[in-house]
């Protein structure tokens, strides 16, 4: 079984994924970190040097390779991964893939992302916290049709451990 976590930047995919994998004794792969290791560049550098289209094609290629592995794992996607091309469709096709949307409130996303904007190319151009909040609100609206197709939606507004418990209770 592969548990695939999706959701907006700052929704906690990596921290929830790590703890969930640890609890289930599955391997854990963070797609962004995997890409950074492969290319030996940060995500911000990849966007700058190679561009977003290159990144979107490459993230799909890395994800496809992971999905082909015959191994139980928890995979944390990038915030945009399921929203491009046929990724979401393909994720839903395989019965062994359990997709989980981590849903986080707008105010919490804004507070978490505000200090990290410089390292996140999608939001690094924004100037004010209010501007960031407006951007996230619109962007979430555009991405919701993809995120909402996940098999389970679990709120991640409080602590990571309770989110992991909620996911486990839905799985088994
Ligand atoms: C992106 C989210 C990032 C990373 C890239 C693009 C997005 O991942 O893949 O900066 O389009 O939402 P995280 O959600 O892990 O920060």
């Amino acid at each position: 079984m592969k548990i695939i976590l999706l959701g907006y930047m700052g929704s906690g995919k990596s921290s929830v994924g790590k703890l969930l994998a640890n609890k289930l004794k599955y391997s854990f792969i963070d797609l962004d970190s995997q890409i950074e290791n492969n290319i030996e560049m940060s995500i911000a550098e990849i966007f700058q040097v190679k561009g977003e289209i290159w990144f979107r094609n490459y993230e799909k290629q890395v994800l496809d390779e992971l999905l082909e592995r015959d191994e139980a794992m928890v995979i944390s996607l990038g915030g945009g991964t399921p929203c491009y091309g046929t990724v979401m469709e393909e994720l839903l096709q395989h019965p062994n893939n359990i997709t989980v949307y981590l849903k986080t409130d707008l105010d919490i996303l804004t507070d978490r992302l505000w200090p990290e904007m410089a390292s996140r190319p999608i939001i690094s151009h924004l100037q004010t916290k209010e501007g960031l909040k407006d951007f996230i609100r619109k962007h979430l609206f555009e991405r919701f049709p993809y995120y909402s197709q996940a098999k389970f939606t679990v709120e991640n507004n409080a602590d990571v451990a309770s989110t992991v418990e909620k996911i486990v209770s839905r799985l088994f």
Side-chain angles (χ1 to χ4, degrees):
M1 180 152 86
K2 291 187 177 65
I3 302 164
I4 297 145
L5 301 180
L6 47 115
Y8 203 71
M9 290 178 278
S11 61
K13 301 179 294 290
S14 305
S15 24
V16 169
K18 226 174 274 171
L19 193 64
L20 178 64
N22 196 28
K23 194 174 172 77
L24 299 176
K25 311 237 175 331
Y26 283 16
S27 21
F28 171 65
I29 306 271
D30 180 85
L31 190 60
D32 280 339
S33 308
Q34 180 77 43
I35 293 169
E36 291 180 324
N37 290 341
N38 292 359
I39 306 294
E40 296 182 340
M41 281 187 203
S42 68
I43 298 291
E45 285 168 331
I46 297 174
F47 267 67
Q48 205 178 9
V49 175
K50 297 178 177 283
E52 183 172 358
I53 295 177
W54 186 93
F55 173 79
R56 296 299 173 195
N57 288 327
Y58 188 69
E59 72 174 341
K60 178 163 190 328
Q61 187 184 317
V62 176
L63 177 62
D64 285 346
E65 283 164 15
L66 291 173
L67 294 175
E68 273 168 28
R69 285 197 210 163
D70 189 16
E71 195 186 322
M73 54 175 100
V74 176
I75 306 173
S76 294
L77 301 184
T81 320
C83 311
Y84 289 86
T86 52
V87 172
M88 197 62 206
E89 229 171 284
E90 286 167 33
L91 286 174
L92 294 170
Q93 266 164 17
H94 298 272
N96 290 346
N97 293 344
I98 310 289
T99 44
V100 180
Y101 168 36
L102 290 186
K103 192 164 185 267
T104 304
D105 289 350
L106 177 62
D107 284 329
I108 296 177
L109 291 175
T110 308
D111 286 344
R112 284 186 193 158
L113 292 173
W114 174 240
E116 296 178 11
M117 275 169 51
S119 62
R120 296 176 183 272
I122 301 283
I123 51 173
S124 56
H125 62 288
L126 298 164
Q127 305 290 330
T128 62
K129 199 168 178 187
E130 209 41 49
L132 172 65
K133 189 171 171 179
D134 281 345
F135 179 90
I136 299 172
R137 184 188 292 112
K138 287 186 203 134
H139 209 195
L140 264 180
F141 181 76
E142 288 165 14
R143 288 183 167 184
F144 186 70
Y146 298 93
Y147 294 158
S148 61
Q149 292 177 55
K151 181 161 187 180
F152 302 130
T153 294
V154 174
E155 293 205 355
N156 185 37
N157 288 315
D159 70 308
V160 171
S162 67
T163 302
V164 167
E165 289 311 321
K166 280 189 267 179
I167 296 175
V168 172
S169 73
R170 305 285 294 270
L171 290 175
F172 303 107

